[in-house]
Amino acid sequence: MDGPVASVWLDRPEVRNAQTFATWASLARVPGLLPAEVRVVLLRSTGPDFSAGLDLRQLRPGGIAEGSVDALLPGSDAELADAIATFQQAFTPWRDLPAVVVAVVQGRALGAGLQLALAADLRVVAADAQLVVAESRLGLVPDLGGTAALVELVGYSRTLELCLLGRPVAAAEALAWGLVSRVAGAEGLDVAVDALAAGLLALPAPVLRATKRLVAGAVERTAAEQRVAERAAQVPLLRAAAGRVSRGA
């Protein structure tokens, strides 16, 4: 952690940051461990790829030390659904954080890798990035919470196409669709991320947090409810701004 910025790393470059049940258990714990002063969280990874998605060894009989799908199958449908609900906890808490969460994506983000990027508030990608909803290739559906974010970002038709066909979306296309917030230029991914983080940190912490809450809830509110939420968010900020002006007068 670097002051108000916390970096959360996927660090299995030898398997392209493929994710296991153990990975998800660790990710689920992280949001609850972040100090209150953190205002920006960066979801990052080592190596040339953000994440190859699910570690496919977990689909084989016996799996690996981190667990296997095979071990879950003898359970009832309800028990299997409960296990998936547990896995989803690695992806769903990030939007509930008061901090702004930024996924930093280089190379490929496949399946669960893309799901993790979608769990963030913002996505900054390298020019060579490729985003793939890959679950259909395995005869599965995306089940880690990303479909709602996809529909919100790119609409129903594009989401359905991506989920069914599993085709890669390059960085430029992802930017044009609104799937990512910015693509790093010649300056490189780290410089682009540092510039975004600096812009976010230049804002007063209450403004950053209130704006995230306001925008994050907008999709679920009616227009009238959103106006109420805007008023409620603005009142304490307006009082604080007036107080600063008064003290400076």
Side-chain angles (χ1 to χ4, degrees):
M1 194 176 80
D2 184 13
V5 179
S7 294
V8 179
W9 292 86
L10 298 178
D11 190 21
R12 305 181 73 217
E14 69 282 0
V15 289
R16 297 189 296 140
N17 297 306
Q19 300 173 32
T20 65
F21 297 165
T23 305
W24 295 342
S26 296
L27 283 171
R29 289 193 296 269
V30 170
L33 300 175
L34 294 172
E37 63 266 23
V38 169
R39 288 190 275 158
V40 176
V41 177
L42 304 178
L43 297 179
R44 310 203 66 164
S45 61
T46 56
D49 288 313
F50 182 70
S51 175
L54 176 70
D55 191 321
L56 296 183
R57 293 175 295 174
Q58 294 195 146
L59 294 177
R60 301 171 187 164
I64 54 177
E66 288 86 348
S68 74
V69 172
D70 191 58
L72 300 174
L73 297 180
S76 67
D77 286 358
E79 290 169 331
L80 191 53
D82 286 344
I84 296 171
T86 300
F87 302 152
Q88 290 172 336
Q89 290 305 306
F91 300 82
T92 53
W94 302 99
R95 286 249 183 135
D96 294 331
L97 286 174
V100 174
V101 181
V102 182
V104 183
V105 179
Q106 76 280 3
R108 289 178 290 182
L110 307 177
L114 178 55
Q115 298 294 307
L116 183 59
L118 290 169
D121 300 302
L122 303 172
R123 282 152 294 283
V124 180
V125 304
D128 69 342
Q130 290 194 332
L131 312 178
V132 187
V133 186
E135 286 82 356
S136 64
R137 299 178 181 180
L138 300 173
L140 303 172
V141 299
D143 64 347
L144 298 172
T147 53
L150 267 178
V151 173
E152 181 182 327
L153 290 166
V154 305
Y156 167 79
S157 296
R158 283 175 172 162
T159 296
L160 185 61
E161 177 188 340
L162 293 177
C163 291
L164 291 177
L165 300 184
R167 73 169 181 85
V169 179
E173 185 178 24
L175 181 64
W177 283 8
L179 182 54
V180 303
S181 50
R182 62 179 68 186
V183 176
E187 76 278 6
L189 189 57
D190 287 341
V191 173
V193 171
D194 288 347
L196 175 60
L200 295 172
L201 295 176
L203 295 167
V207 172
L208 191 72
R209 291 166 180 160
T211 303
K212 174 175 173 173
R213 286 195 306 270
L214 186 64
V215 175
V219 173
E220 298 176 354
R221 300 186 188 110
T222 65
E225 290 169 340
Q226 185 67 2
R227 290 193 293 271
V228 172
E230 289 172 355
R231 297 195 295 270
Q234 191 74 298
V235 166
L237 296 176
L238 190 59
R239 292 187 185 281
R244 289 192 298 271
V245 171
S246 177
R247 289 191 296 273

